[in-house]
Amino acid sequence: MNANGGATDTKAAAAPRRRPRRAGKLPGRQDWSSWPHYQAAAAGFRGYWYPVCYGSQLTGKPKQITLLGEKIVLIRDGVKNMGTAYALKDRCPHRGVPLSEGNQQFPGTISCPYHGWTFDLATGELKAVITDGPESPICGKVTQPTYEVEERLGMVWVFVGDGEDAPPIDEQLPEELVGNAAVVGSRIQPRVGNWRFACENGYDEGHAKYLHRTSLWRVFKAMPVWNETRIVQRGRWIYRVQDKQYWTAEFPGLGKWDNQSWFKLKPPKQTSNIGNTGSHREVNPVIAAQEFPGFASVSMPGILRIAYPTFIHYEFYVPVDAENHLYVGVMADFRKGLRTLPFYLKYLGFVRWLFHGQFSAQDKWMVEVTDAPPERLYRPDESLLKWRKLAEDVTEERTERLKADGFEPAGPPVES
C-alpha cells in the first residue's frame, strides 16, 4: 500500500534497469611504447640474416626483392644455379633506375639497362660506363652498396646491417640444424600483414588450441582447452613450458567445452613438452639430445621452433616492409641415407598440403586481419610479453655495441 492507501505500483517502484554501455569496456595497451625498439621495428630488425628465396630460383637473370623496406637486386654469377650469389642495392646511382631491370654484359658484373653503368658484383665498384667509353672518368669514383649473401637449407640468405661485418650465419641458425644430418621440406610464401603479427601468432599460447581445432592436420588429435604455462630463457631462446594441460573444462553458467571426439586419439595421461598434443612415438635421438625445456621456442630476429617427437618445424618471419612479410616454413627430419625416403613420400604426398598448406593458411588469415595496438592482453599472452622484452633487450645491446664501435644504427626508436 502507498501513503494514500492505494496499491503500490511495483514496476514503477523498481529501480530502472541499467542499459549496457554502448562504448563497451576496453581498457588496455594503446601502443607499444614500453618496447620502443620493437615499436619502431615495423619493417624489421637490422643486423640479421634473412632467407629470401630458394637457391634454385636465382640465376644469372637479376631478381628484385624487398627486405626490411630496402630494394635489393640478387643475381647469380656463373653456371646456372651453381655460381656465386650476390646482392646489391637495387638503384643505379646515376638516375635511379633499378639494376634488376638490367643484365650481365661482362662476367662478374651487372649493367644498368639505361646507360650501361656496370658494377662489380662482389665490391659494388663502378667498373665501366658503356656509353662513356673505356676511359670514363667516373669509374672508380662510385661504389654501389652491397649485401652479404649465404646459402643454407636450399635457400638464399641476405644480411642487412648498419655497416658492421655480418656474423657467421651458422651462429643465427637453430643449433641443431648445424652439424646434424637432416632432410627438410619447406615453403616460402609472400603474405600480407606485419611480420610482428606473424611472429607473435607463431609463439602465441592460446590460438593453436582454438583456431586450429578445425584444421585437417589435427582432425584426429585431441587438443587441450587450456594450459598452465611459464616462459623460461636458455641462451638466445625463450621457451614455452607446459606445466599442466587441461583437456576439458566447465565454464560457469555456460557448460562444458573440449576439443575431444569419439574419432580422436585419447589425450595423454602426462603433460608433454615435445609437441602440444601428446604422442606415443619415440623421440628422435637428435631432438631428445637437445633437452628442450619446452616444445615451442623463439629467438631473434623472429625464428620460431616447434619440437615434435619425430621432426622440428621452424618458421622464419622475414620483414618485407611494414605491411608485408615472407613466411618461410621449414620442416626438418633428422635422418640420412635411405631413412629419408619415408619423409619425402609423406611430405610430398600429403604433409606439405596439410601442414604448410591448410593448417598454415589459418595463421595466414589471422595475421592478415590482426590490427594491434590497441590491444587488451590476457593471461596466456605472457608469451608475447616475454618475446617483446627479448627483442627489446637484444636490440638495445646491439645498439650500444654498434655505437661503441663507431657505427650509427639506422632507424632509431622514435620518441612516443
Side-chain angles (χ1 to χ4, degrees):
M1 301 289 290
N2 59 24
N4 297 321
T8 301
D9 187 341
T10 56
K11 290 185 179 181
R17 186 175 180 180
R18 296 182 63 184
R19 298 178 63 183
R21 294 177 60 188
R22 299 296 188 187
K25 184 179 180 181
L26 297 173
R29 188 178 301 279
Q30 300 302 303
D31 57 38
W32 289 343
S33 58
S34 298
W35 312 278
H37 290 288
Y38 193 69
Q39 179 167 264
F45 287 108
R46 303 171 73 88
Y48 296 94
W49 291 96
Y50 291 97
V52 295
C53 68
Y54 287 113
S56 60
Q57 295 176 325
L58 187 59
T59 66
K61 181 179 180 180
K63 175 182 179 67
Q64 184 189 76
I65 65 164
T66 303
L67 180 61
L68 279 72
E70 298 189 12
K71 300 291 185 183
I72 298 173
V73 57
L74 296 175
I75 190 169
R76 191 181 294 282
D77 183 47
V79 180
K80 181 179 180 181
N81 297 338
M82 296 180 62
T84 303
Y86 295 96
L88 300 88
K89 182 176 182 179
D90 193 22
R91 182 185 186 279
C92 180
H94 178 213
R95 300 297 301 279
V97 171
L99 292 178
S100 55
E101 297 291 336
N103 53 31
Q104 283 189 292
Q105 295 297 320
F106 307 98
T109 69
I110 185 171
S111 296
C112 176
Y114 201 4
H115 299 92
W117 285 42
T118 300
F119 301 89
D120 184 271
L121 293 176
T123 66
E125 181 182 353
L126 181 63
K127 303 294 289 187
V129 177
I130 295 176
T131 56
D132 196 24
E135 303 298 328
S136 176
I138 199 171
C139 291
K141 299 178 181 178
V142 176
T143 302
Q144 183 75 348
T146 62
Y147 303 81
E148 295 181 64
V149 181
E150 292 280 4
E151 297 193 57
R152 293 289 191 280
L153 305 175
M155 294 181 282
V156 177
W157 300 65
V158 176
F159 178 84
V160 178
D162 291 296
E164 78 277 26
D165 291 333
I169 187 174
D170 289 346
E171 293 181 1
Q172 184 182 310
L173 293 175
E175 294 83 351
E176 65 278 4
L177 280 178
V178 180
N180 287 306
V183 56
V184 302
S186 61
R187 183 179 192 184
I188 300 177
Q189 184 183 40
R191 291 185 175 180
V192 174
N194 189 263
W195 75 273
R196 294 170 299 186
F197 297 158
C199 187
E200 293 185 348
N201 170 82
Y203 196 54
D204 170 72
E205 160 67 22
H207 85 278
K209 305 173 186 63
Y210 190 79
L211 173 67
H212 293 313
R213 74 191 190 281
T214 60
S215 71
L216 297 177
W217 176 254
R218 289 183 169 168
V219 67
F220 297 114
K221 302 173 184 177
M223 289 289 293
V225 179
W226 66 286
N227 293 343
E228 291 181 17
T229 305
R230 55 193 166 90
I231 309 299
V232 301
Q233 183 166 358
R234 192 176 76 181
R236 62 193 177 101
W237 298 83
I238 55 173
Y239 295 79
R240 276 198 350 239
V241 182
Q242 300 179 151
D243 289 326
K244 193 170 183 179
Q245 296 171 294
Y246 296 87
W247 300 90
T248 188
E250 187 77 27
F251 292 88
L254 298 176
K256 177 182 175 182
W257 196 90
D258 60 39
N259 269 315
Q260 301 180 49
S261 184
W262 64 269
F263 56 84
K264 292 180 180 286
L265 296 173
K266 297 300 181 183
K269 295 181 180 180
Q270 295 182 337
T271 299
S272 171
N273 270 293
I274 295 292
N276 61 347
T277 61
S279 175
H280 63 282
R281 296 184 178 182
E282 182 180 354
V283 180
N284 179 283
V286 172
I287 299 174
Q290 308 308 311
E291 298 182 339
F292 296 131
F295 85 98
S297 53
V298 68
S299 71
M300 286 287 281
I303 305 172
L304 179 72
R305 174 173 59 194
I306 306 293
Y308 293 93
T310 59
F311 66 91
I312 298 180
H313 185 245
Y314 307 91
E315 293 186 351
F316 302 86
Y317 309 105
V318 182
V320 172
D321 52 35
E323 304 296 335
N324 301 274
H325 67 282
L326 281 184
Y327 167 83
V328 181
V330 177
M331 182 178 289
D333 190 323
F334 296 91
R335 304 177 189 274
K336 57 183 177 180
L338 294 177
R339 299 182 67 193
T340 64
L341 292 178
F343 174 83
Y344 279 119
L345 293 175
K346 289 191 296 183
Y347 184 77
L348 296 176
F350 64 91
V351 172
R352 177 177 172 82
W353 177 70
L354 286 179
F355 193 87
H356 281 156
Q358 193 258 352
F359 178 87
S360 181
Q362 292 181 326
D363 294 317
K364 174 178 178 290
W365 169 38
M366 287 296 98
V367 172
E368 288 176 346
V369 298
T370 295
D371 181 21
E375 60 189 8
R376 181 65 170 96
L377 303 184
Y378 74 142
R379 184 169 55 184
D381 287 329
E382 177 71 7
S383 58
L384 273 61
L385 297 177
K386 289 296 176 63
W387 152 245
R388 293 174 185 175
K389 185 178 187 305
L390 175 71
E392 190 68 19
D393 291 346
V394 171
T395 305
E396 183 62 27
E397 292 174 4
R398 174 180 179 267
T399 300
E400 294 176 358
R401 185 174 65 253
L402 288 180
K403 289 182 177 180
D405 292 338
F407 297 101
E408 184 61 36
V414 294
E415 294 294 331
S416 58

